[in-house]
Amino acid sequence: MSQFQFQATSIVENVPLSARIYRVRFEAPEIAAKIQPGQFVMVRIADCFDPLLGRAFALYDVIAGEDGQPKYVDVVYQVHGKLTSRLKQLEPGQKLEVWGPLGNGFTIPETEHLILVAGGIGQTPFLAVAKQVLGQQSYGTEPFDISKPKKVTLCYGARSVSDFAGLDDFKATGMDVKICTDDGSAGHHGLVTDLLEQSLAEGVGQAQVLCCGPEKMMEAVSKLTTERDVPCQVSLETPMACGIGICFTCVAPVRQEDGSWDYKRTCVEGPIFDACEIAWEHA
């Protein structure tokens, strides 16, 4: 288990990005200095026992303090359930309990075309990924010396135009942002896998894919990339209770070297897995 910090902290900002999606910023310099793209933190409301358990939120970004050192952590959440419904009502200065960084994070690949595929709230971990690979910001304590890709593309799907969040943040990095909606209200009318196929057909060069979103979407992306022999990592959104590997509530079916499969803890062995390792038929 990786070393993590537990701390009480204060909210700095808690702002809406769309009708149901918010970004909360809290002060956590120890976590901010260590956390890497793809890792997550567990968050619960201080002095609140309903709900008692925390929720897992992927890193959205790290913000520096006046001294230029990492000081604040941003996470993005969708209002769905008791904790997030209460979280959206909190104001700057109110308290949270946070522990992290947790999980294994992305293995950022050396590639000519990095394609980020997101559905629903799955865009959350990709802002930090893009800023890192494009040389705009460093994260964690390990040196990052991967060559800058020729192109970074975000393929982002949502039910409707009102469900997108953070588009301006992603566009500000200079990446190519492609969007689609189920109802045709913005971008391509269809599936995010359509955007992925379009991106792969551009012929920019060797491509690699990072994916996060609803399970069925990730399974479809995994199938498509396997057929095209394109490496793909997925960030699982398995519900968690403790976040540190004790409770075994977040297990996912993972293939073994002998062809069988076994359950692995998403919070410790993941949340990032090679897409072809997931036994999707048992998920």
Side-chain angles (χ1 to χ4, degrees):
M1 183 187 304
S2 61
Q3 295 296 315
F4 64 92
Q5 302 286 330
F6 177 91
Q7 65 183 95
T9 184
S10 298
I11 291 174
V12 177
E13 292 181 358
N14 193 17
V15 295
L17 300 181
S18 70
R20 296 188 302 134
I21 300 176
Y22 287 69
R23 175 182 57 76
V24 63
R25 176 173 300 169
F26 51 85
E27 184 175 345
E30 295 87 354
I31 297 174
K34 295 180 179 179
I35 196 164
Q36 298 179 6
Q39 289 189 296
F40 67 96
V41 294
M42 295 293 293
V43 177
R44 70 180 300 273
I45 301 172
D47 302 319
C48 177
F49 301 100
D50 184 23
L52 177 63
L53 300 176
R55 279 279 308 276
F57 297 108
L59 170 70
Y60 187 65
D61 206 1
V62 168
I63 307 300
E66 293 182 357
D67 61 358
Q69 298 302 307
K71 186 174 183 179
Y72 307 104
V73 174
D74 283 359
V75 299
V76 170
Y77 63 95
Q78 185 175 44
V79 178
H80 179 74
K82 188 173 290 185
L83 186 144
T84 50
S85 295
R86 293 187 174 179
L87 181 58
K88 78 167 187 177
Q89 299 172 355
L90 299 187
E91 299 179 350
Q94 292 189 269
K95 301 295 184 181
L96 300 174
E97 293 176 350
V98 182
W99 55 105
L102 301 168
N104 59 354
F106 288 107
T107 301
I108 306 297
E110 185 93 37
T111 187
E112 295 176 285
H113 190 186
L114 181 62
I115 305 175
L116 313 172
V117 183
I121 194 69
Q123 88 286 3
T124 301
F126 292 141
L127 180 64
V129 170
K131 291 174 75 172
Q132 186 172 55
V133 300
L134 292 171
Q136 298 171 1
Q137 187 165 331
S138 60
Y139 298 84
T141 57
E142 298 296 323
F144 184 80
D145 57 2
I146 301 299
S147 300
K148 183 178 176 180
K150 292 181 180 178
K151 187 174 185 179
V152 178
T153 301
L154 173 66
C155 301
Y156 182 7
R159 291 182 179 178
S160 182
V161 64
S162 62
D163 295 316
F164 289 113
L167 284 177
D168 289 342
D169 292 337
F170 290 105
K171 291 176 181 176
T173 68
M175 75 168 82
D176 182 23
V177 177
K178 303 178 186 291
I179 62 172
C180 66
T181 49
D182 294 346
D183 63 4
S185 55
H188 172 70
H189 186 186
L191 302 175
V192 74
T193 46
D194 299 336
L195 300 182
L196 174 56
E197 289 188 289
Q198 293 172 14
S199 298
L200 291 172
E202 291 174 356
V204 173
Q206 177 196 21
Q208 297 208 35
V209 173
L210 308 181
C211 179
C212 183
E215 186 175 289
K216 289 298 183 183
M217 183 213 80
M218 290 193 290
E219 181 179 0
V221 169
S222 176
K223 180 180 179 181
L224 191 156
T225 53
T226 298
E227 291 173 349
R228 303 291 182 86
D229 196 26
V230 174
C232 177
Q233 297 173 54
V234 293
S235 177
L236 301 186
E237 296 183 318
T238 314
M240 301 178 188
C242 72
I244 57 175
I246 296 173
C247 67
F248 283 79
T249 61
C250 66
V251 294
V254 178
R255 299 189 193 283
Q256 307 301 295
E257 292 184 1
D258 63 2
S260 64
W261 64 274
D262 196 6
Y263 286 114
K264 300 292 184 181
R265 295 166 296 177
T266 302
C267 66
V268 176
E269 284 86 15
I272 313 302
F273 293 92
D274 190 309
C276 63
E277 291 181 348
I278 304 299
W280 298 105
E281 67 274 20
H282 301 291

